[in-house]
Amino acid sequence: MLWLGAGVPVIGAVLTAIALKSLGLSGESEPSPAATGADASSGNPSVAPFVVTARQENEAGCTALARRVSSPEDRAELVSGGDVNAVLRRNQGVRVGELNVGLTLEGGSNSLTITSIDIKPKAPRAAEPLSGTLLCEPNAGGEPKIELFADMDRPEPVFLAGRKSTRPYFKESVITLKPGEQVNLSATFLARNGSRAFGLFIRYVRNGKEGSLPVPAPRGGRYAVTGFAPRYGAVYAGSPGGVYRQAEDPRPCPWLPAAQGC
């Protein structure tokens, strides 16, 4: 089972009303849930306006590493059916093509309104796709309840109302969160032309006051996604829980979208 790196570009983000929990990708750490539970509007660090958790969904697929896997330890894990997730964490693996994330929002003591979920890229523009090593598994499906998409190749990506939509979701819609209520969202970030690391921030209004809360990535990871590179230093194919075999062709042809074929 592939897990995206140390821990979520064209990128589209699907937010289904589910929750983000085990999504981690490479590099810098996002604030921990404890650090982000403070009430930004009241200034009282002991009172959380609501709780947000994140998870990665649809874990089968492809993950890219910046460098070619070369250490005997990592190669042994891959070809023997060992802890592939550990290899991805050590090498800061990043999801390729699509990063599917879930968010769970749980209301606090008072009702509030989520006015937006902002995407904050770590760099002004997407970088080149990661091309060191590619590890792929068969894709696993999943139907979100509400779909939102964000094009991460754009300088300032926002969540859209549909995969092919140009209408920002939060321009016309909000999410109301009552005390103790749980709202689930599912987000899919699509990358095609480059690689991008980013953060997520929820903006809300409670008792007439505006606040902002970062969405922590699980396990100290960060959100990131990358498009496919034309070729890699090494390509491995495997199955969830099974072994991986190095492919002779360094190109990602079997996993490319039809529009990108080799």
Side-chain angles (χ1 to χ4, degrees):
M1 179 173 65
L2 287 183
W3 187 70
L4 291 204
V8 129
V10 176
I11 285 183
V14 182
L15 258 128
T16 308
I18 325 182
L20 285 142
K21 217 175 190 175
S22 76
L23 189 252
L25 280 147
S26 57
E28 308 164 11
S29 296
E30 296 295 335
S32 67
T36 59
D39 186 343
S41 63
S42 69
N44 185 349
S46 65
V47 180
F50 62 95
V51 176
V52 54
T53 51
R55 69 173 179 276
Q56 181 182 319
E57 301 177 330
N58 303 334
E59 295 183 353
C62 292
T63 300
L65 313 180
R67 294 172 294 278
R68 181 169 180 169
V69 171
S70 58
S71 75
E73 178 185 8
D74 287 344
R75 291 176 61 85
E77 294 280 19
L78 293 176
V79 302
S80 66
D83 190 351
V84 177
N85 288 340
V87 176
L88 299 182
R89 288 193 295 270
R90 284 194 294 269
N91 293 274
Q92 299 183 335
V94 174
R95 195 67 170 179
V96 183
E98 293 192 9
L99 172 63
N100 298 311
V101 179
L103 277 179
T104 295
L105 312 178
E106 184 172 349
S109 58
N110 297 310
S111 296
L112 54 83
T113 299
I114 305 296
T115 57
S116 73
I117 299 177
D118 298 345
I119 303 167
K120 300 293 186 182
K122 301 296 185 180
R125 295 187 179 279
E128 291 296 316
L130 302 186
S131 59
T133 300
L134 182 70
L135 297 96
C136 292
E137 298 174 348
N139 284 315
E143 289 297 324
K145 298 176 182 178
I146 298 175
E147 295 187 353
L148 301 179
F149 296 81
D151 180 351
M152 297 302 295
D153 283 335
R154 295 179 179 272
E156 298 181 358
V158 297
F159 284 120
L160 304 176
R163 185 178 292 266
K164 297 182 179 180
S165 173
T166 59
R167 180 173 63 85
Y169 179 83
F170 287 101
K171 184 176 182 179
E172 300 177 3
S173 302
V174 297
I175 299 171
T176 300
L177 192 60
K178 298 178 181 179
E181 180 183 12
Q182 283 195 347
V183 173
N184 296 318
L185 304 138
S186 175
T188 299
F189 299 85
L190 305 174
R192 180 175 180 180
N193 298 328
S195 62
R196 206 81 177 273
F198 56 95
L200 295 176
F201 293 81
I202 295 178
R203 296 189 182 278
Y204 64 92
V205 175
R206 188 178 71 156
N207 295 332
K209 296 182 179 180
E210 296 183 353
S212 177
L213 195 69
V215 179
R219 301 186 183 183
R222 72 171 181 176
Y223 301 118
V225 65
T226 180
F228 282 99
R231 60 182 56 240
Y232 292 84
V235 173
Y236 289 82
S239 59
V243 300
Y244 285 77
R245 295 285 181 256
Q246 185 171 355
E248 295 183 3
D249 192 341
R251 299 175 299 169
C253 302
W255 301 280
L256 287 176
Q260 287 184 251
C262 286

